[in-house]
Amino acid sequence: MRVKAVVAYDGTDFLGFQRQAAGRTVQGVVEAALERVTEKRVPVVGAGRTDTGVHAEGQVIAFDTEWRHSLPDLHRAMNAVLPQDVAVRELAQATTGFHPRYDALSRRYRYTVHNAPVRSPLARRTSLHMAQTLDLEAMTAASGLTVGEHDFAAFGRPTQGEVTVRRVMEARWVADPPWFFFEIEANGFLFRMVRSIVGTLLEIGRGRLSAEQFRTILASRDRSLAGQTAPAHGLCLIRVNYC
Amino acid sequence: MRVKAVVAYDGTDFLGFQRQAAGRTVQGVVEAALERVTEKRVPVVGAGRTDTGVHAEGQVIAFDTEWRHSLPDLHRAMNAVLPQDVAVRELAQATTGFHPRYDALSRRYRYTVHNAPVRSPLARRTSLHMAQTLDLEAMTAASGLTVGEHDFAAFGRPTQGEVTVRRVMEARWVADPPWFFFEIEANGFLFRMVRSIVGTLLEIGRGRLSAEQFRTILASRDRSLAGQTAPAHGLCLIRVNYC
């Protein structure tokens, strides 16, 4: 049976989603939980290879299993053995061959900025602290330039020789001072593309770049012109959308 | 010069506020920061002795210092040397002899409950997860019974032979599903009083106790009748009020 699951995690103590030869990864931890519960080796595929330190509220995974009990039982059993920084939010049967990455129509990420004179100990794991006042209007104007189909080579490198054209459906800042949330949805993202866009938008927020220069950087397809990549801990994979 | 400061911390990795013979405490970390910055031994007093694992957004401390530079400089210097899980939010000169505990008119605490079928990895350090649906109306009715001057001996023990009468100015639940926030303000709290009240209110929320029984427990002044003390990590000291 093919199973689709929505997974949330605190990325702080993970070397990203994807299994690696060494180090703690979300995929590794989920596969270990599945092996413990089903007593079989169960390879898992995910919708997005979130980077070291990046969080998720709505990562989507899929796997095949011969589980003979109910799916709610599998759901509960997985959450019972998973560590506290990972949880399966939803779990359901999927169509045979369902692939969380290839079948995804879009992904939605949120980047959280804490814009206040003093850093917040309680928010330090899930937001980027910036003491300097940010020009939200300028950041909003520039983020609008990403909407639509563009070659995003300036903001990220492709994995495995993919094309660098992506379609952004939405990109906006939501302000709830001292919190600024950048929400972006696209049919796909290049490696570190969200963090590169956010880093560049924050340069604009600090008055070091203009929205016009952002337009030029985007058009240049030149990776060296973008601002610094924003740190991983402010980023969260919110949702993956399917048909 | 007497200095008053508002301090925030993530209580997860602290053995509470108060300095102890061994173990990492907020007071110990703040005193170490002050000693490093001022090159003098500076004893600190706090408004509330928050317990192991309890957080703060608005703990108040005071200390005497011979600091010769500006107070904004002292503020910045302290935040520069403090670890990431503690920050000084505000810092100002206080009147001679200002005492954060004895001069406080009231303290405000918030307890956060995450009421959802599945636990949240990203909220696990700052909220109590409860899978069972809670009866908010019943919890609200019972929490109202704490408002006013009462002998709270059923919900906490006094430190150093104090009287157990306290005056609660406000006690209410704010619902933003799946989040339930219990906010309580009083002129003072007995040891573990908030967590004991919350634990008992959650029994009511689960239908194991009635608001009428809560009234009886409060009147009994019998510690053994109260519900289980709610865990520390859902609790946060929000604010301390002065004249």
Side-chain angles (χ1 to χ4, degrees), chain A residues 8-11 13 55-57 75 78-90 118-122 124-126 236, chain B residues 8-11 13 55-57 75 78-90 118-122 124-126 236:
Chain A
Y9 45 86
D10 176 342
D13 300 323
H55 314 291
E57 288 181 4
H75 190 179
M78 286 184 72
N79 279 332
V81 302
L82 280 168
Q84 290 298 306
D85 51 357
V86 190
V88 175
R89 294 182 62 175
E90 299 168 26
V118 177
R119 58 189 165 73
S120 163
L122 285 164
R124 75 188 189 286
R125 294 161 68 101
T126 51
C236 187
Chain B
Y9 45 88
D10 176 343
D13 300 323
H55 314 292
E57 288 181 5
H75 190 179
M78 286 184 72
N79 279 331
V81 303
L82 279 168
Q84 290 298 307
D85 52 356
V86 190
V88 175
R89 295 183 61 175
E90 300 168 25
V118 177
R119 57 189 166 72
S120 165
L122 285 164
R124 74 188 188 286
R125 294 160 69 100
T126 51
C236 187

Side-chain angles (χ1 to χ4, degrees), chain A residues 131-188:
Chain A
Q132 197 180 329
T133 307
L134 296 171
D135 181 344
L136 187 70
E137 214 173 307
M139 295 196 300
T140 297
S143 61
L145 299 172
T146 64
V147 177
E149 194 164 275
H150 301 281
D151 185 333
F152 285 98
F155 294 111
R157 59 175 170 76
T159 46
Q160 302 160 344
E162 294 169 309
V163 294
T164 47
V165 174
R166 294 291 184 277
R167 187 165 44 85
V168 172
M169 290 86 159
E170 193 185 346
R172 60 180 188 137
W173 287 89
V174 179
D176 180 15
W179 308 101
F180 290 145
F181 305 100
F182 179 63
E183 301 231 351
I184 186 164
E185 188 169 328
N187 63 348

Side-chain angles (χ1 to χ4, degrees), chain B residues 98-146:
Chain B
F98 166 72
H99 194 292
R101 186 155 80 253
Y102 303 141
D103 294 350
L105 294 181
S106 69
R107 289 121 172 118
R108 191 177 189 84
Y109 279 91
R110 180 172 56 216
Y111 197 95
T112 303
V113 176
H114 177 230
N115 191 30
V118 177
R119 57 189 166 72
S120 165
L122 285 164
R124 74 188 188 286
R125 294 160 69 100
T126 51
S127 63
L128 171 66
H129 174 243
M130 303 229 14
Q132 197 180 329
T133 308
L134 296 172
D135 181 344
L136 188 70
E137 213 173 307
M139 294 197 300
T140 297
S143 61
L145 299 173
T146 64

Side-chain angles (χ1 to χ4, degrees), chain A residues 9 17 46-51 53-60 101 106-112 168 170-174 181-195 197-198 232 234-241:
Chain A
Y9 45 86
F17 177 82
R49 295 174 186 144
T50 56
D51 226 355
V54 174
H55 314 291
E57 288 181 4
Q59 171 75 281
V60 173
R101 186 154 82 253
S106 69
R107 288 121 172 116
R108 191 177 189 85
Y109 279 91
R110 180 172 56 216
Y111 197 96
T112 304
V168 172
E170 193 185 346
R172 60 180 188 137
W173 287 89
V174 179
F181 305 100
F182 179 63
E183 301 231 351
I184 186 164
E185 188 169 328
N187 63 348
F189 291 94
L190 304 172
F191 182 67
R192 298 213 172 141
M193 175 171 151
V194 182
R195 290 163 56 193
I197 289 174
V198 169
L235 188 61
C236 187
L237 173 55
I238 298 299
R239 198 168 55 234
V240 186
N241 296 306

